[in-house]
Amino acid sequence: MDSGWGFLIGLLGAVWLLSSGHGEQQSPETAAQRCFCQVSGYLDDCTCDVETIDRFNNYRLFPRLQKLLESDYFRYYKVNLKRPCPFWNDISQCGRRDCAVKPCQSDEVPDGIKSASYKYSEEANNLIEECEQAERLGAVDESLSEETQKAVLQWTKHDDSSDNFCEADDIQSPDAEYVDLLLNPERYTGYKGPDAWKIWNVIYEENCFKPQTIKRPLNPLASGQGKSEENTFYSWLEGLCVEKRAFYRLISGLHASINVHLSARYLLQETWLEKKWGHNITEFQQRFDGILTEGEGPRRLKNLYFLYLIELRALSKVLPFFERPDFQLFTGNKIQDEENKMLLLEILHEIKSFPLHFDENSFFAGDKKEAHKLKEDFRLHFRNISRIMDCVGCFKCRLWGKLQTQGLGTALKILFSEKLIANMPESGPSYEFHLTRQEIVSLFNAFGRISTSVKELENFRNLLQSIH
C-alpha cells in the first residue's frame, strides 16, 4: 500500500533538495550515510544487531526462500477483495491500471490446491470434502467416523477461538478468488494522497497504544512540523511497556517494508510497448533520508529489522508442526510436493540455527491477570488492523496488505502457542494447534516480503554510494 509519502513529504523533500543544493551535488558518502549511518548495531529491546541480520538474510536465507515462494503451493493465494470496508463508506477506488489485480482462471490453479484450499494434506483434503457435505458449523455429518467428527468440531472451535490475531477472509465465499502472486507483484501503483493517508492514520492513531499524556499524532505522515529535541517523535515510546513498544515497532516496520518495496519496484519509464520498473533512489530518500524525514527514516528502517526478527522467531518456533511426517505441501504433484517440503524444512532448520533470536519470553511476563488483559488488547488491536485492509482503495495494495497482515498475525499466533506446539502429536490431527493453508501461504510470503526488503536495503545502500 502506498503510504502517501509522495503526497505529504515528497514535496517537502523536493523543495529541500532544491533549496539546499543537495541534489546531484551531494557526495557518495553523505548520500548513503543520511539513510544508513544510524541503521547499524543493536536493535532496541533485542540482543541482535543489524549486521548479523544482513549477513544471515542476504547470503544464507534469501535465495532459498525466493525459490520456495515461486512454487505452486505458495504462489496461489485465495483472497476476497470485494469485502466492504467496515469503518467508512466513502472509499475512492483507484482507477489506475497498476492498481488492478488479475485473478486466476479456474484451470490455472492446480487441482490439489483448489480441492484442499482449507487444509494442508491429502488426508485433511479428504476430510474437508466429507465435511462440506454437512450443513455449516454446528451440523456435523453423522455418517463421518467418530474421530473425524471430533476433528471437524475441534478445528471449527479453534478457528473461532481467541488465538487468532486476524479476521481472515471466508475462502468459501463466492467473492473469494485465487490470485497468482507472481503475476501480481507488490510494487508502486501511484495510489497515494488523502485516501492512503487516511488508512495509515487510522492504523497509527486508533490502533497503536498511545499514552494519554501524548497529544501529538503518532502517525509519521503527520509529523512534518518542527519539534524540539525533547519532543522527538519517539519520545513517547519511553514510557510504554515492552509489549506496547513492540506493537508500534511491528506496525512501523511493516510500513517501512512496504515503502522499500514501492521504491525498489517503481515505474521508471512507460511507453506504448513496455513498462520499465526499477529502483527509484529519490523516492527512497524521501521516505528514509535522515534529514528529509527529520531523523525518522533510519528509525523506521530499524523497525523493519525488528519485524524481521519477530517473524524469524515465529518460523523457528513452528518447525515441529512442519516436521510431522503426515504434513505435506499438497498440490497434487507428489514429486514436487516432496521436494518443496524438503526445501521448506531446510529453510526452517537454517532459521533455527540463527544465533541471536528475539526472546519473546519478555512479553506478557508480569502479573497474570494484567498480562492476560494486555495480550487480549494486543490481539484485538492487531485484529482491527487486519479489518482496515478492506478499506484500501487500490486492489493490489489491498491484496498485499491483507496477505502481509495475515502473515504477521499468523506469526503472532505461533509465538503465543509455544506450549500447544510442544504438545502436538507426532502424527495425526493436531487438535490444539494447526495452521490452515491460507495461514501457511501468508506466513511465508509475508516473511518473504520482509526478507526482500532487507536485501533491497543492501541494493539501495550500494546505489546511494555510487551517486556522484
Side-chain angles (χ1 to χ4, degrees):
M1 165 188 0
D2 193 311
S3 65
W5 284 92
F7 175 73
L8 292 172
I9 289 184
L11 180 60
L12 171 65
V15 171
W16 185 90
L17 286 170
L18 291 172
S19 62
S20 62
H22 282 75
E24 297 296 325
Q25 288 76 28
Q26 57 186 326
S27 69
E29 183 179 13
T30 301
Q33 278 190 339
R34 283 192 359 211
C35 289
F36 292 105
C37 67
Q38 299 175 46
V39 188
S40 62
Y42 286 94
L43 300 170
D44 295 337
D45 297 322
C46 301
T47 59
C48 185
D49 60 278
V50 167
E51 291 76 16
T52 298
I53 296 174
D54 282 339
R55 290 192 297 270
F56 178 79
N57 180 76
N58 297 349
Y59 301 106
R60 294 172 60 181
L61 198 59
F62 176 79
R64 281 183 285 181
L65 182 60
Q66 295 306 303
K67 181 180 178 181
L68 180 72
L69 296 180
E70 291 172 358
S71 67
D72 283 351
Y73 186 90
F74 289 99
R75 69 185 291 180
Y76 295 106
Y77 180 65
K78 198 169 189 181
V79 62
N80 182 358
L81 297 176
K82 299 177 182 178
R83 282 179 56 171
C85 172
F87 301 109
W88 59 82
N89 297 321
D90 56 333
I91 299 178
S92 299
Q93 301 291 350
C94 175
R96 297 172 61 93
R97 286 181 299 171
D98 294 324
C99 287
V101 171
K102 182 182 178 182
C104 296
Q105 299 298 316
S106 179
D107 59 352
E108 294 175 334
V109 182
D111 290 337
I113 291 179
K114 287 187 291 186
S115 61
S117 60
Y118 186 67
K119 300 302 176 188
Y120 45 76
S121 69
E122 188 169 12
E123 176 186 356
N125 173 33
N126 295 333
L127 172 61
I128 198 63
E129 286 180 346
E130 292 176 339
C131 178
E132 286 173 350
Q133 296 173 10
E135 295 181 10
R136 290 184 64 85
L137 297 179
V140 178
D141 191 341
E142 293 182 356
S143 67
L144 302 180
S145 68
E146 183 177 348
E147 182 181 3
T148 297
Q149 290 184 42
K150 183 179 179 181
V152 171
L153 290 173
Q154 291 284 354
W155 276 333
T156 301
K157 180 180 178 182
H158 186 277
D159 287 338
D160 294 333
S161 74
S162 62
D163 291 333
N164 292 317
F165 282 74
C166 284
E167 186 172 300
D169 288 347
D170 176 9
I171 61 172
Q172 304 303 328
S173 167
D175 290 331
E177 298 177 292
Y178 282 100
V179 173
D180 186 337
L181 298 175
L182 299 184
L183 297 181
N184 294 273
E186 183 181 26
R187 58 192 180 191
Y188 185 83
T189 65
Y191 176 64
K192 56 186 178 181
D195 293 326
W197 182 89
K198 184 176 183 179
I199 297 293
W200 284 110
N201 191 62
V202 172
I203 289 174
Y204 281 109
E205 299 300 331
E206 299 182 20
N207 292 280
C208 285
F209 298 93
K210 182 177 181 179
Q212 294 182 353
T213 57
I214 301 299
K215 304 302 181 184
R216 66 179 304 278
L218 301 189
N219 183 359
L221 305 187
S223 61
Q225 64 269 38
K227 47 193 178 293
S228 65
E229 183 178 352
E230 292 76 24
N231 190 30
T232 60
F233 178 62
Y234 276 71
S235 62
W236 62 275
L237 277 174
E238 297 175 3
L240 294 182
C241 63
V242 64
E243 295 87 355
K244 293 181 179 180
R245 289 201 304 269
F247 190 95
Y248 176 81
R249 289 192 173 108
L250 290 176
I251 301 305
S252 174
L254 178 60
H255 193 175
S257 179
I258 291 171
N259 283 333
V260 171
H261 303 154
L262 304 183
S263 301
R265 303 195 71 168
Y266 198 92
L267 182 58
L268 301 177
Q269 185 178 357
E270 181 176 10
T271 67
W272 68 279
L273 285 176
E274 63 178 354
K275 293 182 177 180
K276 181 181 179 182
W277 302 86
H279 295 82
N280 187 321
I281 298 176
T282 300
E283 190 75 16
F284 181 83
Q285 288 178 298
Q286 288 176 357
R287 299 169 190 263
F288 299 110
D289 184 284
I291 295 178
L292 295 181
T293 61
E294 297 185 325
E296 300 310 320
R299 289 182 181 271
R300 296 173 193 137
L301 293 180
K302 295 193 80 169
N303 288 334
L304 187 159
Y305 281 96
F306 179 79
L307 173 62
Y308 182 97
L309 284 180
I310 293 293
E311 296 199 7
L312 190 77
R313 182 58 167 166
L315 289 170
S316 73
K317 290 284 187 179
V318 81
L319 174 59
F321 175 83
F322 294 106
E323 283 186 315
R324 295 181 305 148
D326 59 342
F327 174 83
Q328 57 181 300
L329 299 173
F330 184 68
T331 67
N333 187 323
K334 187 174 182 179
I335 295 178
Q336 288 187 8
D337 291 347
E338 291 176 353
E339 291 177 350
N340 286 329
K341 182 177 179 180
M342 288 179 59
L343 176 58
L344 173 71
L345 293 179
E346 286 178 12
I347 291 171
L348 291 178
H349 278 284
E350 186 74 66
I351 290 173
K352 191 79 173 179
S353 72
F354 184 71
L356 297 171
H357 272 294
F358 179 81
D359 182 10
E360 74 283 0
N361 291 323
S362 60
F363 280 7
F364 313 107
D367 176 80
K368 190 172 183 180
K369 185 176 181 180
E370 292 182 3
H372 177 76
K373 182 182 184 304
L374 182 58
K375 178 183 176 181
E376 182 66 6
D377 288 344
F378 198 99
R379 186 186 70 84
L380 291 176
H381 279 236
F382 192 84
R383 192 178 178 91
N384 213 40
I385 290 174
S386 73
R387 300 176 68 205
I388 295 173
M389 293 301 108
D390 287 316
C391 301
V392 178
C394 165
F395 284 115
K396 186 168 290 183
C397 306
R398 184 183 297 191
L399 163 66
W400 285 100
K402 288 167 75 76
L403 182 145
Q404 290 178 81
T405 51
Q406 185 179 24
L408 177 52
T410 303
L412 294 173
K413 168 182 169 179
I414 292 167
L415 288 178
F416 296 125
S417 303
E418 183 174 9
K419 291 182 180 179
L420 299 180
I421 294 173
N423 293 329
M424 284 190 308
E426 293 184 2
S427 62
S430 172
Y431 299 142
E432 297 297 327
F433 177 85
H434 81 283
L435 296 176
T436 67
R437 180 182 177 274
Q438 288 291 104
E439 289 175 313
I440 295 170
V441 172
S442 64
L443 174 68
F444 281 89
N445 272 285
F447 182 68
R449 296 281 75 207
I450 309 301
S451 174
T452 299
S453 292
V454 173
K455 178 65 175 176
E456 289 292 0
L457 291 184
E458 180 181 65
N459 295 332
F460 275 112
R461 185 183 289 109
N462 293 334
L463 288 169
L464 286 167
Q465 289 174 344
S466 67
I467 294 177
H468 295 289

